[in-house]
Amino acid sequence: METNTSATRTLLEGYLVLRLGVPAMFGQFFNLLYSIVDRIFVGRIPQGGELALAGIGICAPALTAVTAFAYLVGIGGASLLGVSLGQQNPRRAAQALGNAFWLLVGLGVAVPAVLLPLHKPLLYLLGCSDALYPYAGPYFTVYLVGTLASLLGVGLNQFLLAQGFARQGMIAVVLGALTNVVLDPLFLFGLQMGVVGAAAATVLSQGVEEA
């Protein structure tokens, strides 16, 4: 009897790993599409496409560092929420979600406030040049202005995963990524916005993901 119970438990755990892990994996995959799609379309800019592509590539380490703040708050807060729900303490779980939300909002305001005045020396520290700055500077600036949407989209998605709503989290990321696929060519080529359009498309798409 004990053997059957152990086998059933193992099967259930395997099912839960697949049920939660597979959508989370695909969500991370589609999250990568933001930068991939930006590069695909930016590289096709008729004049200066190569420089524009190199320019936004310079921004990648700094943008990754900004996104890390979302994981700092999201994963930490979601872990506390999961523990609280397991302890049948919904009040503490709600507090964890609320505190994480306001911390993400605070970071979404503080990070651009600190980095915007320093963005030029920061980009040059990362390897930017005078030829690349006209592309890297505007792209990084627009992305920083939309930091709040980025942090909320990535950070709050962790709370969906912690509650077992991996499919809903994946759907949110997919909708954002697909929106970016549509907005990128529209802003870049239709509205002639260049790299600013690519950054604006990413920020707006992350806002859709958050909603």
Side-chain angles (χ1 to χ4, degrees):
M1 183 68 178
E2 184 177 346
T3 302
N4 291 336
T5 302
S6 177
T8 302
R9 184 180 303 164
T10 301
L11 289 173
L12 179 60
E13 290 173 351
Y15 166 74
L16 289 175
V17 167
L18 292 175
R19 180 175 176 271
L20 299 176
V22 172
M25 178 188 71
F26 277 103
Q28 290 297 319
F29 169 76
F30 278 97
N31 209 24
L32 291 174
L33 286 182
Y34 282 106
S35 59
I36 295 173
V37 169
D38 278 358
R39 283 162 172 75
I40 289 173
F41 288 111
V42 166
R44 295 178 180 274
I45 294 177
Q47 295 181 349
E50 298 85 355
L51 290 175
L53 187 59
I56 68 171
I58 290 291
C59 302
L63 299 182
T64 301
V66 171
T67 306
F69 284 100
Y71 286 108
L72 168 71
V73 178
I75 294 177
S79 299
L80 180 58
L81 177 137
V83 170
S84 300
L85 291 177
Q87 294 174 342
Q88 303 297 314
N89 191 341
R91 181 178 179 181
R92 189 183 180 202
Q95 287 176 340
L97 176 58
N99 290 339
F101 173 80
W102 288 113
L103 185 53
L104 288 168
V105 170
L107 288 171
V109 174
V111 169
V114 172
L115 292 184
L116 278 173
L118 303 173
H119 80 278
K120 187 171 183 177
L122 176 60
L123 290 174
Y124 274 80
L125 182 64
L126 293 173
C128 189
S129 65
D130 292 339
L132 297 181
Y133 181 74
Y135 303 99
Y139 184 86
F140 191 50
T141 299
V142 172
Y143 195 96
L144 282 178
V145 171
T147 295
L148 179 58
S150 173
L151 295 187
L152 287 175
V154 174
L156 295 181
N157 193 271
Q158 307 304 314
F159 287 87
L160 288 176
L161 301 178
Q163 296 177 77
F165 301 129
R167 180 183 297 178
Q168 288 84 343
M170 179 191 71
I171 291 173
V173 174
V174 170
L175 286 176
L178 293 179
T179 301
N180 191 46
V181 172
V182 174
L183 292 182
D184 253 337
L186 175 63
F187 288 176
L188 275 165
F189 307 119
L191 300 180
Q192 303 284 315
M193 294 175 65
V195 293
V196 171
T202 298
V203 169
L204 290 174
S205 300
Q206 288 171 335
V208 170
E209 177 183 336
E210 174 197 341

